[in-house]
Amino acid sequence: AGAWITLTWERPATVSEIDLYDRPDPVDNVLRGTLTFEDGSVIMVHALPAGGAPERVTFTPKTIRSVTFRIDRAQGRNAGLGEIMVMGWLN
């Protein structure tokens, strides 16, 4: 818990979906997290599917230059993301 990653773009991007992938490890899992956008809005994320399947987070489109994902609750010593994918387009 407490680990985080920030994605930043040089130009604004309009995004409406983010896929979060847990590490494909049955022992180390993300149990709760937070997506924080540069506009200050926050989306709480529940447990990610164990085994590496994606958890799609959808929201009203936002035009941003950065987003941060923080792990708020985890299981195991090496919990983290296997991948993060942001869907949208650069403006």
Side-chain angles (χ1 to χ4, degrees), residues 43-80:
I43 297 175
M44 304 304 293
V45 179
H46 56 80
L48 303 182
E55 175 66 30
R56 177 160 287 173
V57 180
T58 59
F59 44 89
T60 303
K62 299 175 177 294
T63 301
I64 57 171
R65 288 182 190 251
S66 67
V67 61
T68 299
F69 178 72
R70 184 187 70 229
I71 298 173
D72 297 325
R73 187 167 169 235
Q75 168 185 309
R77 297 184 70 188
N78 295 304

